[in-house]
Amino acid sequence: MKFFGKKQKGLDTNSMGNGVYLVTVDKPTSVNTEQFNTIRTNITFSSVDKAYKSLMVTSTVASEGKSTIATNIAATYAKQGLKTLLIDADLRRPTVRSTFNISDSKGLTNLLTEPGFDVNDIIYETTVKNLYVMPSGPIPPNPSELIGSKRMKSLGKPLNEAFDLVIYDAPPVTTVTDAQLLSTQVNGTILVVRQDKTEKSVCREAVKLIEHVGGHIIGVILNDVPSSASGYYGYYSKD
Ligand SMILES: Nc1ncnc2c1ncn2[C@@H]1O[C@H](COP(=O)(O)OP(=O)(O)OP(=O)(O)O)[C@@H](O)[C@H]1O
Ligand SMILES: [Mg+2]
């Protein structure tokens, strides 16, 4: 698969079936990996007093690169030595299971629906040192209800204690309420905007939706920027 090829139009199902491309692991000396290192540095510097324990990655609409970016940011922190957990909180269009070739179908939805389920059973070690993942589990009929459940809320604290950093890959913010709900449970939200794909007004709407519920947007990542500009990924702090 050619990764940085032609831009696809409409809803992309490739990453759901094949997983996302872990450029930071596959090509550790590439420009893209360096860009993810810069993104990590910017995230770290944007929290002045206390290091972030939990971050959520979302976008305005589908297929803007959330999963690619969430996964590569998680790998970047893990490679730095932080014990990192990537949670597939996109219960509608999950990718983590395919990205990390996990044969077991168990995941977050099992934990949220089956009483007595042990969280340790759905945290998988990966081939990337310090990187752990929690797949979404089977796609449920009621994702928003599960994401907004008490069980989901109570999951945050113990995970923040067990890991140095927890990163949530969330659905887009303007179509369903999941990301809004999650944004109130994490220290910071990163908004991915795909160059040439996202309308300014929709971006503004996304920021409003997160801020309306008290979520904290720490920055915007501009994805798929032509290489003649500043590369494929750019990070802009909101403040
Ligand atoms: N910078 C980039 N250059 C080229 N292709 C990219 C880039 N970022 C993402 N893609 C491709 O775009 C598609 C969508 O990416 P990804 O699955 O990460 O987005 P998403 O926002 O998580 O989508 P979804 O809404 O399905 O969750 C994938 O095929 C991915 O490989
Ligand atoms: Mg995704």
Side-chain angles (χ1 to χ4, degrees), residues 53-228:
K53 290 292 291 178
S54 55
L55 294 172
M56 177 182 84
V57 179
T58 186
S59 62
T60 58
V61 291
S63 299
E64 294 199 73
K66 295 176 295 297
S67 301
T68 306
I69 286 174
T71 312
N72 278 287
I73 291 177
T76 305
Y77 272 101
K79 287 199 296 175
Q80 255 277 309
L82 259 69
K83 191 176 173 197
T84 307
L85 176 68
L86 172 69
I87 300 183
D88 201 339
D90 191 339
L91 305 182
R92 299 155 202 269
R93 296 170 58 78
T95 52
V96 165
R97 186 179 172 203
S98 1
T99 301
F100 294 94
N101 289 315
I102 297 167
S103 52
D104 207 315
S105 66
K106 283 197 306 286
L108 180 59
T109 53
N110 298 92
L111 181 75
L112 297 177
T113 54
E114 296 171 33
F117 209 88
D118 187 350
V119 67
N120 292 301
D121 288 343
I122 52 162
I123 295 177
Y124 299 80
E125 215 172 334
T126 69
T127 50
V128 183
K129 198 169 172 235
N130 296 317
L131 179 61
Y132 298 80
V133 294
M134 185 186 290
S136 70
I139 296 179
N142 53 346
S144 302
E145 212 181 297
L146 294 187
I147 292 291
S149 66
K150 276 193 194 134
R151 195 118 202 250
M152 185 71 200
K153 263 194 203 108
S154 63
L155 194 61
K157 201 166 173 249
L159 291 179
N160 289 353
E161 280 164 8
F163 290 89
D164 295 322
L165 180 66
V166 181
I167 297 181
Y168 295 78
D169 179 3
V173 71
T174 59
T175 46
V176 290
T177 58
D178 308 21
Q180 264 185 303
L181 292 165
L182 273 175
S183 72
T184 62
Q185 296 173 39
V186 293
N187 299 146
T189 291
I190 296 169
L191 191 67
V192 176
V193 174
R194 196 151 183 173
Q195 158 99 354
D196 286 343
K197 189 173 183 278
T198 321
E199 300 277 334
K200 258 191 211 153
S201 59
V202 188
C203 282
R204 274 192 216 107
E205 174 67 18
V207 172
K208 257 200 225 151
L209 285 169
I210 297 286
E211 290 181 342
H212 178 69
V213 293
H216 174 48
I217 297 191
I218 61 165
V220 176
I221 294 180
L222 196 55
N223 186 20
D224 208 1
V225 180
S227 46
S228 54

